[in-house]
Amino acid sequence: TKVMIAALQHLGVPIRFEDSGHSVVVEGVNGKFVAPSAELYLANAGTAMWFLTTACTLVTEGHTRLTGSHRMKQRPIDDLVSALRSCGCTINHIPENPQIPVDPTHTLLPISVEGSGFPGGDIEISASISSQFVSSVLISSPYARNPVTLKLRGNVAVSRPYIDMTIQLMAVMGIHVTETAEGEFRVPQGGYINPPLVDVESDASSASYPLAMAAITRGKVEVVSIGSNSLQGDAAFCQVLSQMGCRVTQSTTSTVVDATGIENLKPIDID
């Protein structure tokens, strides 16, 4: 989150903290980013890297250099870059050692994203590597020069909960994505209308650890900001604990796992 905020500030987005750092106020720029004066270093933040790769095509003039840690430079980004190149975006790998030949079929960080605008149109992208590649394109699509039709390839089921989360948040902000066929999404042109307040859910994957600890220690744990309304796939982990004998109660915004008084957890088979 810290490197994402810093990167957005370098792209000209006014951001400030309130409530002793517990709230973040972001002033929108209506898809009009400015080219940063220095490269954007995103450390190990994969989500920030993937989302900004598409967003940086919206820079009106100049280019943006994106880089990260040594591990980030080893992570795959080919599917996202290929999808963006297919609609006319210019994204190039920046060789750090000119003596090492560049493989044009395999893109790694650091990259340079030309800020010539997001062309849009028909785009195909794999959904089997990372749902964040799909969300990256969806989020920036309202500001494309042409309406975007995004077609997904591969195992869509793996990514679907997170794609649905993205579409739901876009709808809250005034952009309504329609699924015209299975795995095919139409994104209208327009601008986001920011609501006065957005509550960010807890991360369900991270929440699974303290919930599991309640089962292991025969204790009781409540996780707030994630409940029965969550679209995150890992939000269903509490139901696994329920099958094992824990008492699970949920509201729309909280989850409680209670294993007090349970002598032995039940073994289960689960796929």
Side-chain angles (χ1 to χ4, degrees):
T1 302
K2 290 181 179 178
V3 295
M4 183 63 154
I5 289 173
L8 290 173
Q9 288 174 324
H10 283 299
L11 290 165
V13 180
I15 299 176
R16 68 181 186 275
F17 292 90
E18 294 183 351
D19 301 329
S20 300
H22 295 287
S23 298
V24 181
V25 180
V26 181
E27 297 182 27
V29 295
N30 201 29
K32 296 180 176 64
F33 296 121
V34 298
S37 57
E39 71 177 12
L40 301 183
Y41 177 75
L42 298 171
N44 290 314
T47 303
M49 183 68 71
W50 315 148
F51 285 10
L52 287 174
T53 298
T54 306
C56 285
T57 66
L58 299 173
V59 172
T60 52
E61 293 182 359
H63 67 276
T64 305
R65 175 173 168 146
L66 299 172
T67 190
S69 66
H70 177 72
R71 180 67 186 97
M72 274 298 298
K73 293 174 183 178
Q74 298 172 329
R75 297 181 65 178
I77 192 174
D78 285 319
D79 287 320
L80 176 58
V81 170
S82 296
L84 294 174
R85 284 173 174 165
S86 72
C87 73
C89 297
T90 301
I91 302 174
N92 296 308
H93 168 67
I94 303 171
E96 295 182 291
N97 186 346
Q99 296 180 346
I100 299 177
V102 175
D103 182 356
T105 65
H106 189 51
T107 304
L108 295 173
L109 298 174
I111 57 174
S112 174
V113 182
E114 291 295 329
S116 54
F118 186 15
D122 294 339
I123 303 173
E124 288 192 14
I125 191 169
S126 172
S128 57
I129 300 297
S130 173
S131 64
Q132 293 174 358
F133 292 172
V134 179
S135 294
S136 172
V137 176
L138 286 172
I139 289 169
S140 292
S141 288
Y143 297 104
R145 290 197 296 268
N146 299 289
V148 170
T149 297
L150 185 62
K151 300 178 182 178
L152 308 186
R153 303 189 311 270
N155 187 359
V156 179
V158 174
S159 301
R160 190 62 200 237
Y162 298 97
I163 295 171
D164 288 342
M165 285 174 57
T166 301
I167 292 173
Q168 183 186 67
L169 182 59
M170 292 173 68
V172 168
M173 296 187 172
I175 297 295
H176 297 277
V177 178
T178 56
E179 187 168 7
T180 54
E182 186 175 0
E184 181 175 309
F185 302 92
R186 179 81 169 176
V187 186
Q189 292 171 292
Y192 289 111
I193 302 172
N194 292 339
L197 178 66
V198 176
D199 288 323
V200 180
E201 269 191 10
S202 299
D203 178 65
S205 301
S206 299
S208 66
Y209 293 95
L211 294 178
M213 286 299 296
I216 294 170
T217 62
R218 308 301 192 270
K220 181 178 180 180
V221 168
E222 178 179 8
V223 174
V224 296
S225 297
I226 186 164
S228 57
N229 279 355
S230 176
L231 294 175
Q232 298 180 67
D234 284 351
F237 177 72
C238 63
Q239 301 307 321
V240 176
L241 299 178
S242 177
Q243 294 177 48
M244 298 177 71
C246 298
R247 294 179 294 277
V248 176
T249 55
Q250 281 188 305
S251 69
T252 56
T253 58
S254 69
T255 299
V256 177
V257 172
D258 185 358
T260 56
I262 298 174
E263 291 188 8
N264 295 299
L265 296 175
K266 301 175 185 176
I268 62 172
D269 294 325
I270 188 166
D271 184 350

